[in-house]
Coordinates of all heavy atoms in Angstrom, one line a residue:
T13 N 4.6 0.4 -11.9 CA 4.3 -1.0 -12.2 C 4.8 -1.3 -13.7 O 5.5 -2.3 -13.9 CB 2.8 -1.2 -12.1 OG1 2.4 -1.0 -10.8 CG2 2.5 -2.6 -12.5
K14 N 4.5 -0.4 -14.6 CA 4.9 -0.6 -16.0 C 6.4 -0.5 -16.1 O 7.1 -1.4 -16.8 CB 4.2 0.4 -16.9 CG 2.8 0.1 -17.1 CD 2.1 1.2 -17.8 CE 0.6 0.9 -17.9 NZ -0.2 2.1 -18.3
Q15 N 7.0 0.5 -15.5 CA 8.5 0.7 -15.6 C 9.3 -0.5 -15.1 O 10.3 -0.9 -15.6 CB 8.9 2.0 -14.9 CG 10.4 2.2 -15.0 CD 10.7 3.5 -14.2 OE1 9.9 4.1 -13.5 NE2 12.0 3.9 -14.3
N16 N 8.8 -1.1 -14.0 CA 9.5 -2.2 -13.3 C 8.9 -3.6 -13.7 O 9.3 -4.6 -13.1 CB 9.4 -2.0 -11.8 CG 10.3 -0.8 -11.5 OD1 11.5 -0.9 -11.5 ND2 9.6 0.4 -11.2
K17 N 8.0 -3.6 -14.7 CA 7.4 -4.9 -15.1 C 6.8 -5.7 -14.0 O 7.1 -6.9 -13.9 CB 8.4 -5.6 -16.0 CG 8.8 -4.9 -17.2 CD 9.8 -5.6 -18.0 CE 10.1 -4.8 -19.3 NZ 11.4 -4.6 -19.6
I18 N 6.1 -5.1 -13.1 CA 5.4 -5.7 -12.0 C 4.1 -6.3 -12.5 O 3.3 -5.6 -13.1 CB 5.2 -4.8 -10.8 CG1 6.6 -4.3 -10.3 CG2 4.4 -5.4 -9.7 CD1 6.5 -3.2 -9.3
S19 N 3.9 -7.6 -12.1 CA 2.7 -8.3 -12.7 C 1.5 -8.3 -11.7 O 0.5 -9.0 -12.0 CB 3.1 -9.7 -13.1 OG 3.5 -10.4 -12.0
Y20 N 1.6 -7.7 -10.6 CA 0.5 -7.7 -9.6 C 0.1 -6.2 -9.3 O 1.0 -5.3 -9.5 CB 0.9 -8.4 -8.3 CG 2.3 -8.0 -7.8 CD1 2.3 -6.9 -6.9 CD2 3.4 -8.6 -8.1 CE1 3.6 -6.5 -6.4 CE2 4.7 -8.2 -7.6 CZ 4.7 -7.1 -6.8 OH 5.9 -6.7 -6.3
P21 N -1.1 -6.0 -8.9 CA -1.5 -4.6 -8.6 C -0.8 -4.0 -7.3 O -0.6 -4.8 -6.4 CB -3.0 -4.7 -8.4 CG -3.2 -6.1 -8.0 CD -2.2 -7.0 -8.6
L22 N -0.5 -2.8 -7.4 CA -0.1 -2.0 -6.2 C -1.2 -1.2 -5.7 O -2.0 -0.6 -6.5 CB 1.1 -1.1 -6.6 CG 2.3 -1.8 -7.1 CD1 3.4 -0.8 -7.4 CD2 2.9 -2.9 -6.1
L23 N -1.4 -1.1 -4.4 CA -2.5 -0.4 -3.8 C -2.2 1.0 -3.4 O -1.1 1.2 -2.8 CB -3.0 -1.2 -2.6 CG -3.4 -2.6 -2.8 CD1 -3.7 -3.3 -1.4 CD2 -4.5 -2.7 -3.8
S24 N -3.0 1.9 -3.7 CA -2.9 3.3 -3.4 C -3.8 3.7 -2.3 O -5.0 3.5 -2.4 CB -3.1 4.2 -4.6 OG -3.1 5.6 -4.3
D25 N -3.3 4.4 -1.3 CA -4.2 5.0 -0.3 C -3.9 6.5 -0.3 O -3.5 7.1 0.7 CB -3.9 4.4 1.1 CG -4.9 4.9 2.2 OD1 -6.0 5.4 1.8 OD2 -4.6 4.8 3.4
F26 N -4.1 7.1 -1.4 CA -3.7 8.5 -1.6 C -4.5 9.4 -0.7 O -4.0 10.4 -0.2 CB -4.1 8.9 -3.1 CG -3.6 10.3 -3.5 CD1 -2.3 10.6 -3.6 CD2 -4.6 11.3 -3.7 CE1 -1.9 11.9 -3.9 CE2 -4.2 12.6 -4.1 CZ -2.8 12.9 -4.2
R27 N -5.7 9.1 -0.3 CA -6.5 9.9 0.6 C -6.2 9.5 2.1 O -6.8 10.1 3.0 CB -8.0 9.7 0.3 CG -8.3 10.3 -1.0 CD -9.8 10.1 -1.3 NE -10.0 10.5 -2.7 CZ -11.0 11.2 -3.1 NH1 -12.0 11.5 -2.3 NH2 -11.1 11.4 -4.4
R28 N -5.3 8.6 2.3 CA -4.9 8.2 3.6 C -6.0 7.7 4.5 O -6.1 8.1 5.7 CB -4.1 9.3 4.3 CG -2.7 9.5 3.6 CD -2.3 10.9 3.6 NE -0.9 11.1 3.1 CZ -0.6 11.3 1.8 NH1 -1.5 11.2 0.9 NH2 0.6 11.5 1.5
A29 N -6.9 6.9 4.0 CA -8.0 6.4 4.7 C -7.6 5.1 5.5 O -8.1 4.8 6.6 CB -9.2 6.1 3.8
M30 N -6.8 4.2 4.9 CA -6.4 3.0 5.5 C -5.2 3.0 6.3 O -5.0 2.2 7.2 CB -6.3 1.9 4.4 CG -7.6 1.5 3.7 SD -7.4 0.3 2.4 CE -6.6 -1.1 3.3
L31 N -4.2 3.9 5.9 CA -2.9 3.9 6.6 C -3.0 4.0 8.1 O -2.3 3.3 8.8 CB -2.1 5.0 6.0 CG -1.6 4.8 4.6 CD1 -1.0 6.0 4.0 CD2 -0.6 3.6 4.5
P32 N -3.9 4.8 8.7 CA -4.0 4.9 10.1 C -4.3 3.6 10.8 O -3.8 3.2 11.8 CB -5.1 5.9 10.4 CG -5.1 6.8 9.2 CD -4.8 5.8 8.0
G33 N -5.2 2.8 10.1 CA -5.6 1.5 10.7 C -4.4 0.5 10.7 O -4.4 -0.5 11.5
Y34 N -3.4 0.7 9.9 CA -2.2 -0.1 9.9 C -1.0 0.6 10.7 O 0.1 0.1 10.6 CB -1.8 -0.4 8.5 CG -2.6 -1.4 7.8 CD1 -3.8 -1.0 7.1 CD2 -2.3 -2.8 7.9 CE1 -4.6 -2.0 6.4 CE2 -3.1 -3.7 7.2 CZ -4.2 -3.3 6.5 OH -5.0 -4.2 5.9

Side-chain angles (χ1 to χ4, degrees):
T13 298
K14 288 175 185 166
Q15 179 181 6
N16 292 284
K17 298 180 176 130
I18 296 173
S19 61
Y20 51 86
L22 299 179
L23 303 177
S24 171
D25 187 18
F26 186 69
R27 296 180 189 220
R28 290 148 173 86
M30 292 178 58
L31 290 170
Y34 285 90

